Amino acid sequence: MTSQDIANIESRFDSGAYAMRRIALVRGMGEMLYDADGKEYIDCISSHGSSNLGHCHPRVIEAIRKQSEAMISCPKTFYNDRSAALKEALSSVAPTSLRNIFLSNSGTEAVESAMKLARSVSGGKKNFISAIGAFHGRTQGALSLTWNKKYKEFCEPLVPGVKYVRFGDAAALAQAIDENTAAVFLEPIQGETGVRMPPEGYLREVRELCTSKGVLLALDEIQTGMGRTGLMFECMREKVTPDIMCIAKSLAAGLPIGAMLAREDLRFKPKEHGSTFGDNPLVCAAGAATIHAIVDEGLLERAEKEGARLMQNLKELEGKGKVTQVRGRGMMIGVELADAPGKYVNAAIEKGLLVFPAGETVIRVYPPLVARREVLDRAAGILGEVLA
């Protein structure tokens, strides 16, 4: 079937939730994707940051193959070896005190888990603080922490008791915390809003503030985690350990998974939370393989080095055409425009480069950590042509 044929079939059953482009992607390898018509694309979307290992990484494929022949599902009232292996691997790369791990199916669910845990352990405190510009998910709880009204106005009322403060402003946060604040939720770098960077030292200030006020710090590393910024988790840059950390996206190289990691003394009571598909052994096998691949293949160093080169290439566009600023860290880059990004994203796709918009005026560039230098150079060249 052609891309058009596939698009026509899917459109007959479409929920209306997505703004679709009429391209049907059917195959991927490394940093490249191919549509049903055989056209090649450089992938600088990475499935919204969930394909940090690129497509069809051999270690992940082998882990899935072996596990699919052993056991695909297991109810969580029993232990299983793949869940144990993933949790052991995850604890080896996470901040050392985060040893209580709850596995689910998505980043949104990881945030929901964190909200529930914070309320459970906070001695009756129920309220949360989030940041202006924050994006934490699309379910009713996570959506309550999300700033942009377009995502949530139609389904209000949401979870009450959420305050918003300016991102990067520790003084504003200090004023917002009160006796009913259970937790502060923050992204180390705001992704969905346009790769917004906090000032240096901000996370460390927030950590000290939450400690002094007796408030939990929950960091959303769903986009920044798993090596995207050149460290396994961005909070490590300032040697900050949150009380709770949420990860997902590329934890299992594109398979659906979410994880909430919490301090050893922060635990749910039995029956307070659960997940039918959490700890799925097939996905857990992929997750452990992903972590080992990132570490063994030096992909953190690669993301930092090749990301800096890509950033420099893109920074040469600043002040030219529509580009006003290029910012980011590692393989998480935002290109700020003096215009809405939609038509430029479409033009890049026509030229064989997949990028995606963020906020009102930003193009996000999230290549896989395995992307080859020559391919990243081509990507920068295409974006330069489109934005000139």
Side-chain angles (χ1 to χ4, degrees):
M1 287 192 291
T2 66
S3 285
Q4 191 69 24
D5 294 333
I6 295 168
N8 288 339
I9 293 170
E10 277 214 64
S11 295
R12 286 165 48 201
F13 308 104
D14 186 45
S15 67
Y18 300 99
M20 300 295 295
R21 293 183 170 88
R22 295 184 73 81
I23 298 168
L25 299 173
V26 297
R27 185 168 62 88
M29 183 59 63
E31 71 282 84
M32 307 305 298
L33 284 165
Y34 303 86
D35 69 16
D37 306 314
K39 184 174 178 177
E40 179 183 76
Y41 301 87
I42 301 171
D43 181 12
C44 284
I45 295 176
S46 294
S47 302
H48 295 96
S50 65
S51 298
N52 287 7
L53 285 187
H55 302 279
C56 297
H57 191 285
R59 291 178 73 158
V60 177
I61 289 174
E62 178 62 13
I64 292 170
R65 185 196 65 77
K66 286 177 65 176
Q67 188 57 37
S68 70
E69 294 172 351
M71 182 173 62
I72 290 176
S73 64
C74 176
K76 191 46 203 159
T77 45
F78 301 95
Y79 297 108
N80 78 76
D81 59 340
R82 294 304 93 201
S83 173
L86 173 58
K87 290 172 180 174
E88 195 168 51
L90 190 51
S91 68
S92 73
V93 296
T96 54
S97 63
L98 302 183
R99 288 293 179 267
N100 290 337
I101 302 173
F102 183 90
L103 297 178
S104 55
N105 312 288
S106 67
T108 294
E109 288 178 62
V111 172
E112 293 277 347
S113 304
M115 294 175 74
K116 290 178 74 174
L117 180 63
R119 283 187 165 178
S120 172
V121 301
S122 291
K125 295 190 286 187
K126 300 295 184 183
N127 294 348
F128 302 111
I129 297 175
S130 185
I132 293 170
F135 182 88
H136 292 290
R138 297 179 187 267
T139 52
Q140 295 289 90
L143 202 54
S144 304
L145 302 175
T146 293
W147 167 253
N148 198 322
K149 291 182 179 180
K150 74 178 181 181
Y151 294 127
K152 61 186 186 178
E153 276 188 323
F154 70 96
C155 59
E156 290 175 337
L158 298 170
V159 173
V162 179
K163 295 180 186 176
Y164 297 94
V165 298
R166 188 165 59 186
F167 183 62
D169 187 341
L173 177 60
Q175 288 188 329
I177 293 174
D178 60 32
E179 67 278 4
N180 292 315
T181 304
V184 173
F185 279 80
L186 289 175
E187 301 156 272
I189 299 170
Q190 290 188 334
E192 190 73 19
T193 303
V195 192
R196 305 290 175 187
M197 311 288 292
E200 186 177 349
Y202 171 65
L203 277 189
R204 193 163 52 248
E205 285 186 76
V206 170
R207 172 68 280 178
E208 292 168 359
L209 178 62
C210 288
T211 300
S212 68
K213 299 274 190 178
V215 170
L216 298 175
L217 173 59
L219 291 185
D220 180 339
E221 292 255 15
I222 292 164
Q223 283 200 32
T224 52
M226 304 308 298
R228 173 122 320 256
T229 68
L231 295 174
M232 188 62 79
F233 301 105
E234 179 60 18
C235 64
M236 293 173 165
R237 194 169 304 276
E238 295 187 4
K239 297 180 172 56
V240 166
T241 298
D243 303 295
I244 301 172
M245 185 168 72
C246 301
I247 58 176
K249 290 207 181 286
S250 202
L251 175 53
L255 270 68
I257 191 171
M260 181 203 68
L261 286 69
R263 267 181 13 217
E264 291 177 274
D265 58 314
L266 304 179
R267 302 177 63 87
F268 284 118
K269 299 179 183 67
K271 308 294 185 182
E272 280 190 336
H273 199 33
S275 172
T276 297
F277 294 109
D279 294 78
N280 176 273
L282 188 71
V283 181
C284 286
T290 298
I291 292 169
H292 293 311
I294 290 172
V295 174
D296 295 346
E297 296 174 20
L299 296 184
L300 300 178
E301 296 80 5
R302 182 180 180 82
E304 185 171 23
K305 180 179 178 181
E306 298 303 329
R309 176 185 169 90
L310 176 60
M311 179 100 66
Q312 187 56 46
N313 287 340
L314 293 174
K315 274 187 171 293
E316 293 178 7
L317 305 176
E318 288 182 343
K320 303 174 184 177
K322 295 292 183 181
V323 180
T324 61
Q325 186 187 41
V326 175
R327 58 180 176 263
R329 194 163 280 143
M331 296 290 198
M332 184 177 187
I333 300 173
V335 180
E336 182 87 49
L337 309 179
D339 200 354
K343 62 185 176 183
Y344 305 107
V345 169
N346 291 336
I349 292 172
E350 285 295 316
K351 289 179 176 288
L353 171 65
L354 302 183
V355 289
F356 59 137
E360 301 298 322
T361 57
V362 176
I363 291 176
R364 272 182 290 182
V365 183
Y366 285 17
L369 312 187
V370 299
R372 293 164 290 171
R373 174 175 289 187
E374 61 269 24
V375 177
L376 294 175
D377 289 349
R378 278 171 51 200
I382 292 170
L383 205 52
E385 292 173 19
V386 165
L387 295 171

Short mmCIF file of all heavy atoms in Angstrom, two decimals, residues 74-132:
data_model
loop_
_atom_site.label_atom_id
_atom_site.label_comp_id
_atom_site.label_asym_id
_atom_site.label_seq_id
_atom_site.Cartn_x
_atom_site.Cartn_y
_atom_site.Cartn_z
N CYS A 74 2.74 -10.72 32.83
CA CYS A 74 2.80 -11.31 34.17
C CYS A 74 2.03 -10.41 35.12
O CYS A 74 2.31 -9.20 35.17
CB CYS A 74 4.26 -11.44 34.62
SG CYS A 74 4.47 -12.07 36.30
N PRO A 75 1.07 -10.93 35.86
CA PRO A 75 0.34 -10.05 36.81
C PRO A 75 1.26 -9.55 37.91
O PRO A 75 2.16 -10.25 38.37
CB PRO A 75 -0.75 -10.98 37.36
CG PRO A 75 -0.24 -12.36 37.14
CD PRO A 75 0.58 -12.32 35.90
N LYS A 76 1.02 -8.30 38.33
CA LYS A 76 1.96 -7.67 39.25
C LYS A 76 1.85 -8.19 40.67
O LYS A 76 2.66 -7.82 41.52
CB LYS A 76 1.76 -6.14 39.21
CG LYS A 76 2.85 -5.35 39.91
CD LYS A 76 4.25 -5.84 39.53
CE LYS A 76 5.30 -5.50 40.58
NZ LYS A 76 6.48 -6.33 40.51
N THR A 77 0.94 -9.06 40.95
CA THR A 77 0.93 -9.69 42.27
C THR A 77 2.04 -10.74 42.40
O THR A 77 2.21 -11.35 43.46
CB THR A 77 -0.43 -10.35 42.54
OG1 THR A 77 -0.83 -11.08 41.38
CG2 THR A 77 -1.47 -9.30 42.86
N PHE A 78 2.78 -10.97 41.30
CA PHE A 78 3.93 -11.87 41.33
C PHE A 78 5.18 -11.11 40.89
O PHE A 78 5.10 -10.15 40.12
CB PHE A 78 3.72 -13.06 40.38
CG PHE A 78 2.49 -13.88 40.70
CD1 PHE A 78 1.29 -13.63 40.05
CD2 PHE A 78 2.54 -14.88 41.66
CE1 PHE A 78 0.15 -14.37 40.35
CE2 PHE A 78 1.40 -15.62 41.96
CZ PHE A 78 0.21 -15.37 41.31
N TYR A 79 6.33 -11.55 41.36
CA TYR A 79 7.59 -11.00 40.89
C TYR A 79 7.91 -11.58 39.52
O TYR A 79 7.43 -12.67 39.16
CB TYR A 79 8.72 -11.33 41.86
CG TYR A 79 8.54 -10.72 43.23
CD1 TYR A 79 8.21 -11.52 44.33
CD2 TYR A 79 8.71 -9.35 43.43
CE1 TYR A 79 8.06 -10.97 45.59
CE2 TYR A 79 8.55 -8.78 44.69
CZ TYR A 79 8.22 -9.59 45.76
OH TYR A 79 8.06 -9.05 47.01
N ASN A 80 8.73 -10.87 38.72
CA ASN A 80 9.25 -11.52 37.51
C ASN A 80 10.68 -11.05 37.25
O ASN A 80 11.09 -9.96 37.68
CB ASN A 80 8.33 -11.32 36.29
CG ASN A 80 8.46 -9.96 35.64
OD1 ASN A 80 9.42 -9.69 34.93
ND2 ASN A 80 7.45 -9.12 35.86
N ASP A 81 11.44 -11.90 36.58
CA ASP A 81 12.88 -11.66 36.44
C ASP A 81 13.20 -10.43 35.61
O ASP A 81 14.19 -9.72 35.85
CB ASP A 81 13.57 -12.90 35.86
CG ASP A 81 13.04 -13.31 34.50
OD1 ASP A 81 11.91 -12.90 34.14
OD2 ASP A 81 13.75 -14.04 33.78
N ARG A 82 12.37 -10.11 34.60
CA ARG A 82 12.67 -8.96 33.73
C ARG A 82 12.41 -7.64 34.46
O ARG A 82 13.14 -6.67 34.28
CB ARG A 82 11.87 -9.03 32.45
CG ARG A 82 12.22 -10.19 31.51
CD ARG A 82 13.69 -10.20 31.15
NE ARG A 82 14.47 -11.05 32.06
CZ ARG A 82 15.78 -10.94 32.24
NH1 ARG A 82 16.47 -10.02 31.62
NH2 ARG A 82 16.41 -11.73 33.07
N SER A 83 11.37 -7.60 35.27
CA SER A 83 11.11 -6.42 36.09
C SER A 83 12.27 -6.21 37.07
O SER A 83 12.75 -5.08 37.25
CB SER A 83 9.80 -6.58 36.86
OG SER A 83 9.62 -5.53 37.78
N ALA A 84 12.74 -7.28 37.67
CA ALA A 84 13.87 -7.19 38.60
C ALA A 84 15.11 -6.66 37.89
O ALA A 84 15.83 -5.80 38.42
CB ALA A 84 14.15 -8.56 39.21
N ALA A 85 15.37 -7.16 36.67
CA ALA A 85 16.56 -6.73 35.94
C ALA A 85 16.48 -5.26 35.56
O ALA A 85 17.48 -4.53 35.63
CB ALA A 85 16.73 -7.60 34.69
N LEU A 86 15.30 -4.81 35.15
CA LEU A 86 15.15 -3.40 34.79
C LEU A 86 15.34 -2.50 36.01
O LEU A 86 16.06 -1.49 35.95
CB LEU A 86 13.78 -3.14 34.16
CG LEU A 86 13.46 -1.66 33.91
CD1 LEU A 86 14.50 -1.01 33.02
CD2 LEU A 86 12.07 -1.51 33.30
N LYS A 87 14.71 -2.86 37.12
CA LYS A 87 14.84 -2.02 38.31
C LYS A 87 16.28 -1.97 38.81
O LYS A 87 16.76 -0.92 39.25
CB LYS A 87 13.89 -2.52 39.40
CG LYS A 87 12.42 -2.25 39.06
CD LYS A 87 11.47 -2.90 40.04
CE LYS A 87 10.03 -2.60 39.66
NZ LYS A 87 9.05 -3.32 40.49
N GLU A 88 16.97 -3.07 38.70
CA GLU A 88 18.37 -3.10 39.11
C GLU A 88 19.22 -2.21 38.20
O GLU A 88 20.06 -1.43 38.66
CB GLU A 88 18.89 -4.54 39.07
CG GLU A 88 20.19 -4.76 39.81
CD GLU A 88 20.48 -6.24 39.98
OE1 GLU A 88 20.44 -6.99 38.97
OE2 GLU A 88 20.76 -6.68 41.12
N ALA A 89 18.95 -2.29 36.88
CA ALA A 89 19.69 -1.46 35.93
C ALA A 89 19.37 0.01 36.12
O ALA A 89 20.26 0.87 36.08
CB ALA A 89 19.37 -1.89 34.50
N LEU A 90 18.10 0.31 36.35
CA LEU A 90 17.67 1.70 36.52
C LEU A 90 18.28 2.30 37.78
O LEU A 90 18.76 3.44 37.78
CB LEU A 90 16.14 1.75 36.57
CG LEU A 90 15.47 3.11 36.51
CD1 LEU A 90 15.97 3.95 35.35
CD2 LEU A 90 13.95 2.91 36.40
N SER A 91 18.29 1.53 38.86
CA SER A 91 18.86 2.05 40.11
C SER A 91 20.36 2.28 39.99
O SER A 91 20.93 3.11 40.70
CB SER A 91 18.56 1.10 41.27
OG SER A 91 19.25 -0.12 41.13
N SER A 92 21.02 1.57 39.08
CA SER A 92 22.47 1.74 38.91
C SER A 92 22.84 3.03 38.21
O SER A 92 23.99 3.48 38.30
CB SER A 92 23.05 0.55 38.13
OG SER A 92 22.70 0.62 36.75
N VAL A 93 21.88 3.67 37.51
CA VAL A 93 22.18 4.91 36.78
C VAL A 93 21.42 6.11 37.33
O VAL A 93 21.68 7.24 36.93
CB VAL A 93 21.88 4.75 35.27
CG1 VAL A 93 22.79 3.70 34.65
CG2 VAL A 93 20.42 4.43 35.00
N ALA A 94 20.48 5.89 38.24
CA ALA A 94 19.69 6.97 38.82
C ALA A 94 20.39 7.54 40.06
O ALA A 94 21.30 6.91 40.61
CB ALA A 94 18.30 6.46 39.20
N PRO A 95 19.98 8.71 40.52
CA PRO A 95 20.50 9.22 41.80
C PRO A 95 20.35 8.16 42.90
O PRO A 95 19.33 7.47 42.98
CB PRO A 95 19.62 10.44 42.08
CG PRO A 95 19.25 10.94 40.71
CD PRO A 95 19.06 9.69 39.89
N THR A 96 21.35 8.04 43.74
CA THR A 96 21.49 6.85 44.59
C THR A 96 20.36 6.62 45.57
O THR A 96 20.09 5.47 45.94
CB THR A 96 22.82 6.91 45.37
OG1 THR A 96 22.88 8.15 46.08
CG2 THR A 96 24.00 6.82 44.44
N SER A 97 19.69 7.66 46.03
CA SER A 97 18.65 7.45 47.05
C SER A 97 17.30 7.09 46.46
O SER A 97 16.36 6.79 47.20
CB SER A 97 18.50 8.71 47.92
OG SER A 97 18.07 9.80 47.13
N LEU A 98 17.17 7.08 45.14
CA LEU A 98 15.87 6.81 44.51
C LEU A 98 15.76 5.31 44.24
O LEU A 98 16.10 4.83 43.16
CB LEU A 98 15.71 7.62 43.23
CG LEU A 98 15.83 9.14 43.38
CD1 LEU A 98 15.58 9.83 42.05
CD2 LEU A 98 14.86 9.66 44.44
N ARG A 99 15.27 4.58 45.21
CA ARG A 99 15.28 3.12 45.13
C ARG A 99 13.87 2.52 45.09
O ARG A 99 13.73 1.32 44.86
CB ARG A 99 16.04 2.53 46.33
CG ARG A 99 17.55 2.75 46.23
CD ARG A 99 18.14 1.95 45.07
NE ARG A 99 19.56 2.16 44.94
CZ ARG A 99 20.12 3.08 44.16
NH1 ARG A 99 19.35 3.90 43.46
NH2 ARG A 99 21.44 3.20 44.06
N ASN A 100 12.85 3.31 45.37
CA ASN A 100 11.48 2.80 45.26
C ASN A 100 10.95 3.11 43.87
O ASN A 100 10.81 4.27 43.50
CB ASN A 100 10.58 3.43 46.34
CG ASN A 100 10.93 2.94 47.72
OD1 ASN A 100 11.52 1.87 47.87
ND2 ASN A 100 10.59 3.72 48.73
N ILE A 101 10.66 2.08 43.10
CA ILE A 101 10.33 2.25 41.68
C ILE A 101 8.95 1.69 41.40
O ILE A 101 8.66 0.53 41.71
CB ILE A 101 11.37 1.53 40.79
CG1 ILE A 101 12.78 2.09 41.07
CG2 ILE A 101 11.02 1.68 39.32
CD1 ILE A 101 13.89 1.34 40.36
N PHE A 102 8.10 2.53 40.81
CA PHE A 102 6.78 2.09 40.36
C PHE A 102 6.76 2.20 38.84
O PHE A 102 6.95 3.28 38.28
CB PHE A 102 5.66 2.94 40.97
CG PHE A 102 4.28 2.48 40.58
CD1 PHE A 102 3.61 1.54 41.34
CD2 PHE A 102 3.66 2.95 39.43
CE1 PHE A 102 2.36 1.08 40.97
CE2 PHE A 102 2.41 2.50 39.04
CZ PHE A 102 1.75 1.56 39.83
N LEU A 103 6.50 1.08 38.16
CA LEU A 103 6.48 1.04 36.70
C LEU A 103 5.05 1.09 36.18
O LEU A 103 4.17 0.41 36.70
CB LEU A 103 7.17 -0.22 36.19
CG LEU A 103 8.65 -0.38 36.53
CD1 LEU A 103 9.17 -1.70 35.99
CD2 LEU A 103 9.47 0.77 35.95
N SER A 104 4.86 1.88 35.14
CA SER A 104 3.55 1.98 34.49
C SER A 104 3.76 1.99 32.98
O SER A 104 4.70 1.36 32.48
CB SER A 104 2.81 3.23 34.98
OG SER A 104 3.61 4.39 34.78
N ASN A 105 2.92 2.72 32.24
CA ASN A 105 2.93 2.61 30.78
C ASN A 105 3.27 3.89 30.04
O ASN A 105 3.37 3.88 28.82
CB ASN A 105 1.56 2.14 30.30
CG ASN A 105 1.06 0.95 31.08
OD1 ASN A 105 1.57 -0.15 30.92
ND2 ASN A 105 0.09 1.16 31.95
N SER A 106 3.42 5.00 30.74
CA SER A 106 3.63 6.27 30.05
C SER A 106 4.16 7.31 31.03
O SER A 106 4.10 7.13 32.26
CB SER A 106 2.31 6.78 29.45
OG SER A 106 1.40 7.13 30.48
N GLY A 107 4.61 8.43 30.48
CA GLY A 107 5.06 9.52 31.32
C GLY A 107 3.93 10.14 32.11
O GLY A 107 4.10 10.49 33.29
N THR A 108 2.79 10.29 31.46
CA THR A 108 1.63 10.83 32.18
C THR A 108 1.32 9.99 33.41
O THR A 108 1.05 10.53 34.49
CB THR A 108 0.42 10.88 31.24
OG1 THR A 108 0.67 11.82 30.20
CG2 THR A 108 -0.83 11.29 31.99
N GLU A 109 1.35 8.68 33.26
CA GLU A 109 1.06 7.80 34.40
C GLU A 109 2.14 7.91 35.48
O GLU A 109 1.83 7.79 36.68
CB GLU A 109 0.94 6.36 33.92
CG GLU A 109 -0.32 6.10 33.12
CD GLU A 109 -0.38 4.67 32.62
OE1 GLU A 109 -0.41 3.75 33.45
OE2 GLU A 109 -0.37 4.48 31.39
N ALA A 110 3.38 8.14 35.06
CA ALA A 110 4.43 8.35 36.06
C ALA A 110 4.15 9.60 36.88
O ALA A 110 4.33 9.61 38.11
CB ALA A 110 5.79 8.46 35.36
N VAL A 111 3.68 10.66 36.22
CA VAL A 111 3.34 11.90 36.94
C VAL A 111 2.14 11.67 37.85
O VAL A 111 2.12 12.13 39.00
CB VAL A 111 3.08 13.04 35.94
CG1 VAL A 111 2.53 14.28 36.65
CG2 VAL A 111 4.37 13.40 35.20
N GLU A 112 1.13 10.97 37.36
CA GLU A 112 -0.03 10.64 38.20
C GLU A 112 0.42 9.88 39.45
O GLU A 112 -0.05 10.14 40.57
CB GLU A 112 -1.03 9.80 37.42
CG GLU A 112 -1.71 10.50 36.26
CD GLU A 112 -2.91 11.33 36.70
OE1 GLU A 112 -3.37 11.17 37.85
OE2 GLU A 112 -3.38 12.15 35.89
N SER A 113 1.32 8.92 39.26
CA SER A 113 1.84 8.15 40.39
C SER A 113 2.53 9.06 41.40
O SER A 113 2.35 8.92 42.62
CB SER A 113 2.83 7.09 39.90
OG SER A 113 2.25 6.24 38.94
N ALA A 114 3.30 10.01 40.89
CA ALA A 114 4.02 10.94 41.76
C ALA A 114 3.07 11.82 42.55
O ALA A 114 3.28 12.09 43.74
CB ALA A 114 4.99 11.79 40.94
N MET A 115 2.01 12.29 41.89
CA MET A 115 1.02 13.12 42.59
C MET A 115 0.35 12.34 43.71
O MET A 115 0.19 12.83 44.82
CB MET A 115 -0.02 13.63 41.59
CG MET A 115 0.53 14.59 40.55
SD MET A 115 -0.70 15.06 39.32
CE MET A 115 -1.74 16.19 40.28
N LYS A 116 -0.02 11.09 43.42
CA LYS A 116 -0.68 10.27 44.43
C LYS A 116 0.26 9.96 45.60
O LYS A 116 -0.14 10.03 46.76
CB LYS A 116 -1.21 8.98 43.80
CG LYS A 116 -2.38 9.20 42.85
CD LYS A 116 -2.82 7.90 42.20
CE LYS A 116 -3.57 7.00 43.16
NZ LYS A 116 -4.12 5.79 42.46
N LEU A 117 1.51 9.64 45.27
CA LEU A 117 2.47 9.33 46.34
C LEU A 117 2.71 10.56 47.22
O LEU A 117 2.74 10.45 48.45
CB LEU A 117 3.79 8.85 45.74
CG LEU A 117 4.88 8.50 46.76
CD1 LEU A 117 4.46 7.33 47.64
CD2 LEU A 117 6.21 8.19 46.07
N ALA A 118 2.84 11.73 46.59
CA ALA A 118 3.09 12.94 47.36
C ALA A 118 1.96 13.21 48.34
O ALA A 118 2.20 13.56 49.51
CB ALA A 118 3.27 14.13 46.41
N ARG A 119 0.73 13.05 47.89
CA ARG A 119 -0.40 13.25 48.79
C ARG A 119 -0.45 12.17 49.88
O ARG A 119 -0.81 12.44 51.02
CB ARG A 119 -1.70 13.27 48.00
CG ARG A 119 -1.93 14.59 47.26
CD ARG A 119 -3.28 14.66 46.62
NE ARG A 119 -3.62 16.04 46.24
CZ ARG A 119 -4.74 16.38 45.62
NH1 ARG A 119 -5.64 15.45 45.31
NH2 ARG A 119 -4.96 17.65 45.31
N SER A 120 -0.08 10.95 49.53
CA SER A 120 -0.13 9.85 50.49
C SER A 120 0.84 10.05 51.65
O SER A 120 0.51 9.74 52.80
CB SER A 120 0.17 8.53 49.78
OG SER A 120 0.30 7.47 50.71
N VAL A 121 2.03 10.58 51.35
CA VAL A 121 3.08 10.61 52.37
C VAL A 121 3.26 11.98 53.02
O VAL A 121 4.10 12.13 53.91
CB VAL A 121 4.44 10.17 51.76
CG1 VAL A 121 4.33 8.77 51.19
CG2 VAL A 121 4.93 11.18 50.71
N SER A 122 2.45 12.97 52.64
CA SER A 122 2.69 14.34 53.10
C SER A 122 1.87 14.75 54.31
O SER A 122 1.71 15.95 54.59
CB SER A 122 2.44 15.33 51.95
OG SER A 122 3.44 15.19 50.96
N GLY A 123 1.32 13.79 55.02
CA GLY A 123 0.63 14.10 56.27
C GLY A 123 -0.57 15.01 56.11
O GLY A 123 -0.80 15.90 56.94
N GLY A 124 -1.34 14.79 55.05
CA GLY A 124 -2.57 15.56 54.86
C GLY A 124 -2.42 16.76 53.94
O GLY A 124 -3.41 17.39 53.57
N LYS A 125 -1.19 17.12 53.56
CA LYS A 125 -1.00 18.23 52.61
C LYS A 125 -1.42 17.76 51.21
O LYS A 125 -1.06 16.66 50.79
CB LYS A 125 0.46 18.70 52.62
CG LYS A 125 0.88 19.30 53.96
CD LYS A 125 2.24 19.98 53.88
CE LYS A 125 3.38 18.99 53.81
NZ LYS A 125 4.70 19.66 53.91
N LYS A 126 -2.15 18.61 50.48
CA LYS A 126 -2.77 18.18 49.23
C LYS A 126 -2.36 19.00 48.01
O LYS A 126 -2.66 18.62 46.89
CB LYS A 126 -4.30 18.24 49.35
CG LYS A 126 -4.90 17.37 50.44
CD LYS A 126 -4.67 15.89 50.17
CE LYS A 126 -5.35 15.01 51.21
NZ LYS A 126 -5.06 13.57 50.99
N ASN A 127 -1.73 20.15 48.19
CA ASN A 127 -1.55 21.09 47.08
C ASN A 127 -0.21 20.90 46.38
O ASN A 127 0.75 20.35 46.95
CB ASN A 127 -1.70 22.53 47.57
CG ASN A 127 -3.12 22.82 48.04
OD1 ASN A 127 -4.04 22.04 47.81
ND2 ASN A 127 -3.30 23.95 48.71
N PHE A 128 -0.14 21.42 45.15
CA PHE A 128 1.07 21.30 44.34
C PHE A 128 1.44 22.66 43.76
O PHE A 128 0.59 23.53 43.58
CB PHE A 128 0.84 20.32 43.18
CG PHE A 128 0.43 18.94 43.62
CD1 PHE A 128 -0.85 18.47 43.36
CD2 PHE A 128 1.32 18.11 44.28
CE1 PHE A 128 -1.23 17.21 43.76
CE2 PHE A 128 0.94 16.84 44.69
CZ PHE A 128 -0.34 16.38 44.43
N ILE A 129 2.71 22.79 43.43
CA ILE A 129 3.20 23.95 42.70
C ILE A 129 3.86 23.47 41.42
O ILE A 129 4.65 22.51 41.43
CB ILE A 129 4.20 24.77 43.53
CG1 ILE A 129 3.52 25.34 44.78
CG2 ILE A 129 4.79 25.91 42.70
CD1 ILE A 129 4.47 26.06 45.72
N SER A 130 3.48 24.10 40.31
CA SER A 130 4.05 23.80 39.00
C SER A 130 4.57 25.11 38.41
O SER A 130 4.51 26.16 39.05
CB SER A 130 2.98 23.17 38.11
OG SER A 130 3.53 22.77 36.87
N ALA A 131 5.11 25.04 37.21
CA ALA A 131 5.72 26.23 36.60
C ALA A 131 4.90 26.73 35.42
O ALA A 131 4.29 25.94 34.69
CB ALA A 131 7.14 25.91 36.15
N ILE A 132 4.93 28.02 35.23
CA ILE A 132 4.38 28.61 34.01
C ILE A 132 5.14 28.02 32.83
O ILE A 132 6.37 27.97 32.81
CB ILE A 132 4.51 30.14 34.05
CG1 ILE A 132 3.61 30.72 35.15
CG2 ILE A 132 4.17 30.76 32.69
CD1 ILE A 132 3.84 32.19 35.42
#
